Amino acid sequence: MAHVTRPVIDGRYRMDDLVRAGSTGESWLGVHLNTGQRVGLKRLFPAAHSEVESSNLARFRRSASLLCRVRSDYVVRAFDLVLDDEHGLVLVSEFLDGPTLEDVLAQRVLSVEEALDVGIDVLRGLCDMHAESIVHRNVKPAVIVMHRRPDGSTRAILNDLGLCRLIWTERPSSEEPTGVTPTDAAIGTLLYLAPEQIVCARDVTAAVNAYAVGWLLYR
């Protein structure tokens, strides 16, 4: 049997199994070679590093930086951001075992009690983000992982902060360093967008997350 050599990121993290691929990048289950700890590895495709796609790279860097600030049992925890010569920029986080809420809803309808449990978990995660002055801007079933815990219970965890943004309590003297959100842009998933986020995604508050959770519970 031929031996399969798995890619290693920065000499420390081995990429074992592809979990999910999107339009700009992919997520892997990996292992820290020194400790044996399972980790999540999220990397951008090479095209996202080009000048044409610089906004994707800027968002990736920003979301990684903000994610490292949040310490919550209801938001995925980031450990490291490494730049690998072969694989580019890679975000290292805890590995969440379980399907997304979108996957679950495609199979069955949640009971009222289950829906409330999910809503409470999501709101707890958002409260922890808001405590760090971070607004998510893209709350939807696809970014919520139904994490299976060792005791057999399930916890809903926010897993994608790709469109997150700092909430300004006072208007800063200059625009955000990345400048990746145009002043008149509407970003996010339409079904869950608050009206003010459709008008301008840059000047939003934590209220847009509450609006999205309302639609989430309705669904």
Side-chain angles (χ1 to χ4, degrees), residues 11 14 19 26 38-39 63 78 85 92 98 110 118 120 162 175 181 193-194 196 209:
R14 188 183 68 222
V19 177
E26 57 190 17
R38 295 202 307 172
V39 296
S63 64
D85 292 338
V92 184
L110 270 61
V118 170
I120 290 170
E175 297 297 344
T181 305
L193 289 187
E196 65 268 31
N209 288 341

Side-chain angles (χ1 to χ4, degrees), residues 46-57:
H49 291 261
S50 68
E51 183 177 351
V52 175
E53 296 294 338
S54 60
S55 62
N56 289 323
L57 182 59

Side-chain angles (χ1 to χ4, degrees), residues 119-194:
I120 290 170
D121 287 352
V122 171
L123 288 171
R124 284 172 173 164
L126 291 173
C127 283
D128 291 334
M129 290 180 62
H130 297 165
E132 295 293 335
S133 299
I134 301 171
V135 60
H136 193 286
R137 296 199 300 182
N138 197 30
V139 177
K140 58 182 180 179
V143 305
I144 299 168
V145 174
M146 304 305 292
H147 178 54
R148 290 184 286 261
R149 304 167 71 188
D151 64 1
S153 62
T154 299
R155 173 177 290 169
I157 297 181
L158 289 164
N159 187 44
D160 189 344
L161 274 67
L163 298 182
C164 63
R165 179 177 173 83
L166 281 172
I167 306 169
W168 300 110
T169 54
E170 297 179 0
R171 172 59 55 191
S173 57
S174 61
E175 297 297 344
E176 64 177 348
T178 59
V180 295
T181 305
T183 55
D184 59 348
I187 63 172
T189 303
L190 184 59
L191 179 61
Y192 302 92
L193 289 187

